[in-house]
Amino acid sequence: MKNVLASVSLLAALAGCVTTAPTTAIHQPMSQRPEARSLAPTTNGAIFNVASARPLFEDRRARFVGDTITISIAEKVQASKKSENKSTRSHAVDVTVPTIAGLPFKGAQGTALSASDTNNFSGKGENTSSNDFTGTITVTVIEIYPNGNLLVSGEKQIGLKEGEEFVRFSGVVNPNTISSANTVVSTQVADARIEYKANGFLDSAQVMGWLGRFFLTFLPF
């Protein structure tokens, strides 16, 4: 019975590992509650209602901790690298044993010795990378810098039948780049960190097991 309970506990632990969210390098926290603001008390009128009233001339752009802002992700990166190396080295040595009276090993005197060595090396490498990431995500202002810039961070989690997908974004936004629709392009965000990760059995099948990675660290080839 104890063995059965131990097996069930182990399976539950492994199942919990599958649904664990993948690690992230995004600025933390990913969301922040707005700070309490001290406003002058107002009263309801015949038409005016405090709960639903919105100032007509108030700027709708994010500027406080807890405000949301929409990021238009438009990242396209292309990189290419090509290198080629060649090296040639030759070395030759000719030695003759002189004939000198009184030396031992007279049989070796007058023998000519020669040695040569040639070493050739040729290396060539080429690498091309192309990445295209587009989409939108709404993030939250988590900090306001002294110069007025906004540190934003957020996550979009999508649950699928095969697992879960996570779209994460964080970076520093200059309020001057925010449009009137409260949006900003990701290319105008400083220190931008963009992630697209997933979990589930499909992604787990593409990762080498821990035992294979352990032996791989010791293999010389």
Side-chain angles (χ1 to χ4, degrees):
M1 185 65 180
K2 292 182 178 179
N3 294 333
V4 174
L5 294 176
S7 300
V8 173
S9 301
L10 179 59
L11 291 175
L14 293 176
C17 294
V18 173
T19 57
T20 301
T23 58
T24 179
I26 298 299
H27 295 91
Q28 299 295 327
M30 289 190 181
S31 184
Q32 187 79 314
R33 291 181 176 272
E35 298 177 349
R37 306 176 192 174
S38 57
L39 301 176
T42 56
T43 57
N44 294 329
I47 300 177
F48 179 80
N49 190 330
V50 178
S52 60
R54 296 295 298 269
L56 296 177
F57 302 101
E58 179 181 344
D59 191 354
R60 300 292 196 243
R61 294 181 297 179
R63 61 182 184 277
F64 296 112
V65 172
D67 289 351
T68 59
I69 180 174
T70 301
I71 305 295
S72 298
I73 302 176
E75 298 292 330
K76 189 172 184 180
V77 179
Q78 291 183 345
S80 178
K81 181 179 180 181
K82 184 177 181 180
S83 62
E84 183 175 356
N85 296 320
K86 290 184 179 181
S87 176
T88 302
R89 182 180 65 181
S90 299
H91 186 68
V93 177
D94 294 327
V95 179
T96 301
V97 180
T99 302
I100 303 176
L103 290 178
F105 307 105
K106 294 183 179 180
Q109 296 185 13
T111 303
L113 302 176
S114 64
S116 62
D117 178 31
T118 302
N119 187 357
N120 295 323
F121 171 78
S122 177
K124 184 177 181 181
E126 185 174 354
N127 182 23
T128 302
S129 176
S130 178
N131 299 284
D132 194 358
F133 188 6
T134 59
T136 57
I137 181 174
T138 300
V139 295
T140 305
V141 179
I142 62 174
E143 186 179 351
I144 301 176
Y145 289 161
N147 62 350
N149 288 342
L150 310 176
L151 177 61
V152 299
S153 181
E155 176 186 73
K156 180 188 293 185
Q157 181 176 337
I158 306 172
L160 302 175
K161 183 175 63 175
E162 295 83 5
E164 296 176 327
E165 296 183 354
F166 299 84
V167 181
R168 296 163 175 165
F169 184 92
S170 69
V172 180
V173 177
N174 186 339
N176 296 327
T177 60
I178 304 176
S179 67
S180 58
N182 197 35
T183 61
V184 64
V185 183
S186 62
T187 54
Q188 296 177 322
V189 179
D191 195 16
R193 302 182 184 182
I194 309 172
E195 291 181 353
Y196 179 80
K197 295 184 177 181
N199 61 10
F201 70 92
L202 293 178
D203 296 274
S204 300
Q206 302 177 17
V207 180
M208 182 183 295
W210 64 268
L211 186 60
R213 296 195 302 268
F214 173 78
F215 286 107
L216 189 61
T217 57
F218 297 97
L219 293 177
F221 51 85

